[in-house]
Amino acid sequence: MACNNDAIEYHTSLTSSVNETFDINLNETKQRFYDIKRDPHIEIVNFEAVIERRPTEIDETSLRVLKYKSPSFIATVTFRFPPIHSNECWKVGFVQACDFMLFQNQYGDLGYSSWEFPQLIVRDLSMINDSCGRNFPWYGSKNQVVTIQGPIYRQSEHTITMRDLFIPWIPWDIPTCEGEKSHLTHIYRHQRFYVWLCAMNCTNNELLIIRTIRWIQTIEIDVKPNLCRGIRAKLISNHEPEQPIFLKKNKFIPSCALQAPSANNAQLLVWRPTKGESAIVVNPKHHDNSTIKYLRLLNIDIR
């Protein structure tokens, strides 16, 4: 069985003791760019975003799968929030969305497998929320977002951090088999993301966009299946990844990027043989009209 074991890693050193007292309807969320003249003065003390400057690590120890671990994207911000003299509730945190993914694994002339988001392919959505899927729209629920409940009569300082990386398992054998034969010849992955630092007034359901980051990661691995494990795979993409960019002009968040489905729940794995019909190897956890539409295009039934 093929497994896309991509990881979302959480840091738990900062947690909030504030109970959730406001129900947020993301369909009705008002969204605008943060304006220091009209909004509470959120002072950014430090804001950094980086992709670790190291090559992707390849692990060939398994008899069944090749594993790799990409450099992590890490965003950290320290900010000071002004006093809140009312009973307002605020959240400040990161929202991440993926707007493109090409992730294909070639098995010589036998065919290739592909991890895909039907919603992006059929263009029903422009982006898809990339989070744990339990705390929309935020990337995570621990150190990626902080809740500030008024009244607080003094300025408060907070640090939030998010980390994202890829840790997939790619079968040596074609993904419709569970064997140990070596047929994998090439891996290519290119993904693009937006990350927003946002402040949400939970009392009036308003989302303020403070900064927008763009980051991209490309991983390409050549595999010689006839060689022994340990020397089969070679990273051929850039060993030092392209660094994130802080956009000069903020970008609004599409409503589809604020709510379900999350990327982990929407993705599916398709096997496309050179001869014969395509097959779903890993079904998506989330089924919607986009999924049905896409599988009809492929002439595949989903159960």
Side-chain angles (χ1 to χ4, degrees):
M1 175 64 69
C3 177
N4 188 19
N5 195 35
D6 284 358
I8 297 177
E9 183 173 325
Y10 297 110
H11 292 258
T12 58
S13 58
L14 176 65
T15 59
S16 172
S17 61
V18 179
N19 291 327
E20 302 274 346
T21 57
F22 294 92
D23 293 327
I24 300 299
N25 186 337
L26 293 170
N27 287 320
E28 298 177 1
T29 299
K30 300 180 290 290
Q31 185 180 155
R32 60 182 175 81
F33 297 138
Y34 173 75
D35 185 348
I36 195 172
K37 295 180 180 179
R38 61 180 290 191
D39 297 317
H41 177 44
I42 302 173
E43 179 187 352
I44 303 297
V45 178
N46 184 56
F47 193 178
E48 297 179 347
V50 66
I51 298 179
E52 292 176 309
R53 291 179 170 87
R54 64 168 182 82
T56 293
E57 300 173 10
I58 300 173
D59 180 356
E60 300 184 38
T61 56
S62 171
L63 293 173
R64 292 181 178 271
V65 297
L66 178 151
K67 305 174 187 177
Y68 69 75
K69 181 179 180 180
S70 72
S72 295
F73 167 83
I74 306 169
T76 302
V77 60
T78 299
F79 65 93
R80 297 190 182 108
F81 203 88
I84 306 173
H85 297 289
S86 66
N87 195 39
E88 284 186 342
C89 176
W90 285 81
K91 284 179 177 285
V92 181
F94 293 107
V95 175
Q96 176 164 273
C98 175
D99 68 328
F100 182 85
M101 179 173 74
L102 180 61
F103 184 4
Q104 295 182 350
N105 309 306
Q106 186 71 39
Y107 292 84
D109 58 4
L110 298 175
Y112 70 93
S113 65
S114 179
W115 285 99
E116 300 171 2
F117 299 133
Q119 295 79 5
L120 298 186
I121 295 175
V122 301
R123 299 185 179 181
D124 284 345
L125 304 181
S126 59
M127 298 184 193
I128 195 161
N129 181 274
D130 188 32
S131 71
C132 65
R134 297 185 297 272
N135 194 36
F136 291 105
W138 311 106
Y139 181 75
S141 58
K142 297 193 181 286
N143 212 36
Q144 300 81 11
V145 60
V146 63
T147 304
I148 307 166
Q149 175 70 64
I152 301 176
Y153 299 107
R154 58 182 175 80
Q155 186 184 62
S156 56
E157 183 170 303
H158 310 268
T159 297
I160 54 176
T161 300
M162 67 165 285
R163 178 188 294 260
D164 195 10
L165 71 160
F166 311 143
I167 314 179
W169 300 2
I170 315 296
W172 295 114
D173 205 347
I174 62 173
T176 51
C177 298
E178 294 188 3
E180 298 176 2
K181 293 182 179 179
S182 178
H183 293 297
L184 180 66
T185 56
H186 191 261
I187 298 167
Y188 182 82
R189 180 173 191 160
H190 178 78
Q191 259 181 285
R192 305 172 196 161
F193 301 90
Y194 285 99
V195 174
W196 292 269
L197 174 65
C198 302
M200 176 180 278
N201 186 331
C202 303
T203 309
N204 63 16
N205 201 12
E206 186 172 51
L207 186 68
L208 308 179
I209 299 172
I210 301 172
R211 292 298 303 270
T212 309
I213 301 170
R214 180 66 157 162
W215 70 280
I216 296 169
Q217 196 159 87
T218 302
I219 296 169
E220 189 170 10
I221 298 171
D222 184 59
V223 184
K224 298 190 182 304
N226 295 329
L227 297 181
C228 297
R229 279 187 303 108
I231 58 172
R232 285 177 188 164
K234 179 181 179 181
L235 182 70
I236 57 176
S237 53
N238 196 335
H239 283 214
E240 187 165 309
E242 182 180 344
Q243 290 302 304
I245 298 171
F246 285 84
L247 300 188
K248 293 181 179 179
K249 291 185 178 181
N250 266 326
K251 182 180 181 66
F252 280 113
I253 308 175
S255 60
C256 56
L258 295 174
Q259 49 200 315
S262 66
N264 282 349
N265 288 334
Q267 67 183 353
L268 55 80
L269 179 64
V270 184
W271 166 242
R272 302 174 186 273
T274 303
K275 297 180 180 179
E277 297 182 352
S278 298
I280 299 296
V281 181
V282 177
N283 287 323
K285 296 177 182 178
H286 177 90
H287 299 172
D288 58 16
N289 289 334
S290 299
T291 311
I292 296 169
K293 185 190 303 183
Y294 182 53
L295 294 175
R296 283 175 179 166
L297 290 175
L298 295 177
N299 196 26
I300 297 175
D301 280 334
I302 188 166
R303 294 174 174 79

